[in-house]
Amino acid sequence: MGEIIQLVALVVLVASLAYVLLLIFGNFRIQNATVVSAEAESQFFRTQIAEIMDRRQIIKAQDETSWQGFRKFKVERKFPEGGGICSFYLHPHDDRPLPFFEPGQYLTFKLDIPDQKKQTIRCYSLSDQPLSDYYRVSIKKIPPPKDNPDAPPGLGSSFFHDNINEGDIIDVKAPAGQFFLDVTKPHPVVLIGGGIGLTPVLSMLKEVITREWRTEVWFFYGVSNGGEHIMKDHLKELAEKFDNVKVRIVYSRPKDEDVEGADYDIKGRVGVEMFKEVLPSSNYHYYFCGPPPMMNSLFEDLREWNVPEDHIHYEAFGPATVKKKQEADVSSGAEGAGEKSAEGFTINFAKSNKTAEWTSAAGSILDFAEENDVDIDFGCRAGNCGTCITAVKDGDVDYLTEPGERPEAGSCLACVSIPKGNITIDA
Ligand SMILES: Cc1cc2nc3c(=O)[nH]c(=O)nc-3n(C[C@H](O)[C@H](O)[C@H](O)COP(=O)(O)OP(=O)(O)OC[C@H]3O[C@@H](n4cnc5c(N)ncnc54)[C@H](O)[C@@H]3O)c2cc1C
Ligand code: FES
């Protein structure tokens, strides 16, 4: 009997102990969960506040150190990267600090090229990361078109390669452009550079690495073969920094001496078919810049792969002369342009005191102005750089392609606009 009482007492004791432990542990878990969720919440707000502060600081620094018009820069270093590409390291001549730029943005240059009637304006992406005391652009010398080998090579790029040297002073506009990565908001990204289109996405890659983004970062660099593959060791080094950063070098036509696994990772063309094999999902923001075939297909292919439009960001360098494309758009009846093909309107160039009849065959207002010996400055001829902005004094315009950023009401980007009716412009 005594043993039974002892056994019951032991069971009661163990059960009580277990109950007490359960209470303590359960309470601890509840408290812990509350603490964790409170901590997560405050971490979330801290991150949000940090992002806002970060962005504010960037905007403040940009406002304080940016400049209007052109500023003098000294070419501190000129470095041949190979593949017909040369990098130029630019230091402000006044030694004052440089504004932060958003990775992906570009500089606009004004070049005094001998024997040219007017100064030549060209845009080049910033190829290094921001927050440094210099800017770097990497420029490919553009050869004559394959179907016209006797044509002169690219004017601006050849001038940079052949005539701009260390110690030279050049005129540069402040960084600009809508194609950039918001570095204050880490998110999973796929950065894609084709050929010289590497430059803006390289700037993005370097900055996300510096900021130690912990989200997935994929980087695809597509070239024909090893002869075009620039900054090889540098890219390798970047790829080895963090596990979440994955660099894939893609050769479309490797040469015999190019070794898969050593010189490049994948043979083929960068595109959605490759992404389907390499990426775990389509759930990223895509930033791309590359040659026309890539630009022509990638956007639509990504859309077909159900990537939302606001996850697709791109910039086309194009040649400075994109007339053919615009003409093709007009004659093929691109949206909004087809109905106008039969119409003709009067364009009054107020400053030049000239009036001429425009038809769709004349192309953009910029093309038409040039045909009529009316000067309008231009840079990208693709609606990106804002150089050709012209006041519309009377009438209205349509856009052949959506510009990077629409100018204020009462003005137009002449390189990508056509008249909607009779117009008077300040040129
Ligand atoms: C936002 C932006 C960023 C850019 N970033 C970069 C960058 O980082 N790096 C880079 O290298 N480029 C970049 N570019 C491209 C750059 O701005 C120029 O478009 C490029 O250097 C070509 O300019 P160009 O003056 O050398 O050639 P152009 O003189 O404009 O000539 C273009 C082509 O036309 C041919 N051509 C010239 N005259 C004739 C003729 N009479 N008949 C037939 N063909 C002719 C030339 O041989 C050449 O192939 C960027 C462009 C933009 C818009
Ligand atoms: S020339 Fe660059 S926007 Fe027109």
Side-chain angles (χ1 to χ4, degrees), residues 143-218:
K146 282 197 180 106
D147 59 359
N148 190 357
D150 297 330
L155 183 65
S157 57
S158 301
F159 187 72
F160 263 100
H161 276 248
D162 304 339
N163 297 79
I164 302 270
N165 293 305
E166 287 174 6
D168 284 352
I169 306 289
I170 43 179
D171 290 313
V172 186
K173 257 192 183 177
Q178 297 305 309
F179 173 65
F180 62 80
L181 182 68
D182 184 352
V183 288
T184 60
K185 289 198 176 95
H187 52 285
V189 289
V190 180
L191 309 174
I192 306 148
I196 189 60
L198 166 76
T199 49
V201 288
L202 176 62
S203 176
M204 294 176 187
L205 177 68
K206 291 192 74 174
E207 185 60 8
V208 299
I209 287 177
T210 301
R211 287 180 173 252
E212 298 188 14
W213 276 23
R214 301 312 298 156
T215 56
E216 259 184 89
V217 176
W218 288 85

